[in-house]
Amino acid sequence: MSEKPHYASICAKVNAELRVPQVIEFIGWYPERLVKFEDVYLALCPIHGDKVFRTLVLNPNGNTYQCRHVNCPAGSPSDLIDLVARCFGESMPEALARLVDHFGPDAFGLSESELAVLAEILEMVQRENEEY
């Protein structure tokens, strides 16, 4: 009998398969202004609503992001799933489910048991949201 997949491993698996340009396109925050600079991408930051300076640094090695604007709440490095969560005002499980729904589970190589764990966690988050 196989062990139940862990949420963290599902997140890591999904984040590893994401591509910076497709995430920026998915978010829809000026994807045409995304620029490749050396080993990273620079973008306008959707977290603090930047429309002028490319302060969002997206690193395709590890699929992380960080905003370099002084007052942006995205000043600490995090993964691309967190970026999606912040942009849509959702929890991490909700953002993860949004990505899987949009790109399809096959894009991330998710198994039925991993999808079941994600559905279970998403249901718990939705129940908590209803209580508030």
Side-chain angles (χ1 to χ4, degrees), residues 6-35:
H6 293 280
Y7 172 70
S9 67
I10 297 168
C11 288
K13 193 173 186 179
V14 169
N15 192 62
E17 294 301 321
L18 291 171
R19 299 294 165 254
V20 169
Q22 80 181 150
V23 171
I24 294 299
E25 180 74 31
F26 179 69
I27 292 167
W29 185 257
Y30 298 100
E32 70 281 359
R33 303 274 309 269
L34 180 68
V35 173

Side-chain angles (χ1 to χ4, degrees), residues 6-101:
H6 293 280
Y7 172 70
S9 67
I10 297 168
C11 288
K13 193 173 186 179
V14 169
N15 192 62
E17 294 301 321
L18 291 171
R19 299 294 165 254
V20 169
Q22 80 181 150
V23 171
I24 294 299
E25 180 74 31
F26 179 69
I27 292 167
W29 185 257
Y30 298 100
E32 70 281 359
R33 303 274 309 269
L34 180 68
V35 173
K36 178 96 163 119
F37 180 75
E38 296 179 1
D39 293 341
V40 298
Y41 288 90
L42 303 175
L44 300 175
C45 182
I47 307 301
H48 71 272
D50 186 14
K51 295 181 183 175
V52 179
F53 301 105
R54 292 181 181 95
T55 56
L56 189 67
V57 180
L58 301 118
N59 188 340
N61 296 328
N63 283 343
T64 59
Y65 80 96
Q66 180 176 6
C67 183
R68 298 296 183 174
H69 188 275
V70 175
N71 295 321
C72 184
S76 298
S78 193
D79 66 23
L80 295 179
I81 300 168
D82 179 72
L83 178 62
V84 172
R86 286 179 183 261
C87 288
F88 288 101
E90 299 174 328
S91 67
M92 289 287 284
E94 290 167 322
L96 185 61
R98 180 184 288 268
L99 287 163
V100 171
D101 286 345

